[in-house]
Amino acid sequence: MSQSLNTILQAIIPPEHQWKLTLFKHWDEIIGDMRDKVIIQEIKDSVLFLAVSHPAWAHELFLLTPLLKQKINSYLVKDQIKTIRLNVKTFQPTGSQRKKVYNAEQAPLINIPPSRQEQALLSRVANHELRDALCGFLLRCKRQKKESL
C-alpha cells in the first residue's frame, strides 16, 4: 500500500497550515524566472522569509515585494502572507536550476595588466584601498573574459 508524499503530508500537517503546502507546490510558478535566485527560507505566522542569492536580486525583489505578496496570496485560499522579509544567503540551485558558477579564485592566474587608459583612470582614485580593489576587479573581469573566449 503506497501513498504519495502529498497525501502523507496532508494527513500530518494540521488544516490551518495546509496553505503552506500549496505555497511550496506552486513556488516555481509564483517566482518564475527568479527560481534559481530565490528560495523559501522560513514561514513564521504570516511572515515569509526568502533567501536571495545576491544583494542586487534582493534589492530588485524588495521593490517587487507588494506584487509578489499579491501573487502569492492569489494562489492561496485567503491572504495568508502579510509580510515578506529578504535575506541574502549563498545557496546552490537544485536539480535543473544548477548552473556553472564562475569562481575567480579557482581560475588560473592570467596576468593581463591594465591598459594605459585604465591605469590613467585608476591613478585618479585617491583612496589606495579603493584603487587596489578596482584594479583587482578589473583583473578578474579580464580573466573571466579571456576564459570565456
Side-chain angles (χ1 to χ4, degrees), residues 92-134:
Q92 286 293 325
T94 57
S96 63
Q97 299 169 350
R98 279 188 197 267
K99 294 181 182 175
K100 184 179 178 189
V101 178
Y102 177 78
N103 186 348
E105 284 73 32
Q106 293 176 346
L109 292 178
I110 301 170
N111 194 5
I112 306 169
S115 67
R116 288 183 187 182
Q117 181 183 10
E118 292 165 342
Q119 287 176 355
L121 292 171
L122 286 169
S123 68
R124 293 182 188 174
V125 179
N127 184 311
H128 67 82
E129 289 178 9
L130 178 58
R131 183 175 51 247
D132 291 344
L134 288 171

Side-chain angles (χ1 to χ4, degrees), residues 23-38:
L23 177 60
F24 280 104
K25 182 179 177 182
H26 295 286
W27 181 246
D28 283 351
E29 297 168 44
I30 293 169
I31 203 65
D33 291 338
M34 292 184 70
R35 69 180 144 287
D36 61 334
K37 298 164 185 63
V38 183

Side-chain angles (χ1 to χ4, degrees), residues 19-35 38 40 43 48 50 61 64-76 81 84:
W19 63 271
K20 295 175 185 176
L21 287 176
T22 304
L23 177 60
F24 280 104
K25 182 179 177 182
H26 295 286
W27 181 246
D28 283 351
E29 297 168 44
I30 293 169
I31 203 65
D33 291 338
M34 292 184 70
R35 69 180 144 287
V38 183
I40 297 174
I43 303 171
L48 176 64
L50 299 177
L61 204 56
L64 295 171
T65 298
L67 292 173
L68 180 60
K69 186 169 56 170
Q70 182 182 19
K71 189 172 183 180
I72 289 170
N73 286 323
S74 73
Y75 277 82
L76 307 174
I81 300 298
I84 296 177

